[in-house]
Amino acid sequence: MYENDYTGSELSSIQALGCYRNLMIDLSEYLALNLIGISSNELKNYDNALVYQKKHWIM
């Protein structure tokens, strides 16, 4: 993984989110949603960032 690899970070977090949901680990899901939101924001994908940040804060 490279420094500032937000695309890789977003993809890895989405994959992890699927695993966390299967295991029902709330804290890990909360952190994964936050990381996806941050990565999306850094990629200037603001609509996606808002979706994940809202999910993050609802938990």
Side-chain angles (χ1 to χ4, degrees):
M1 188 181 260
Y2 300 101
E3 186 174 331
N4 297 326
D5 181 16
Y6 295 108
T7 301
S9 174
E10 185 177 29
L11 292 173
S12 295
S13 297
I14 290 169
Q15 291 173 343
L17 184 56
C19 295
Y20 294 144
R21 283 195 174 141
N22 290 336
L23 298 174
M24 300 174 92
I25 301 172
D26 290 336
L27 177 60
S28 296
E29 184 174 349
Y30 174 85
L31 295 173
L33 288 168
N34 187 43
L35 185 56
I36 295 167
I38 292 169
S39 297
S40 294
N41 188 61
E42 291 297 325
L43 291 167
K44 299 185 182 349
N45 186 351
Y46 301 117
D47 291 334
N48 197 47
L50 283 173
V51 168
Y52 282 98
Q53 288 298 320
K54 286 179 183 177
K55 288 180 183 182
H56 163 253
W57 287 111
I58 290 173
M59 287 192 70

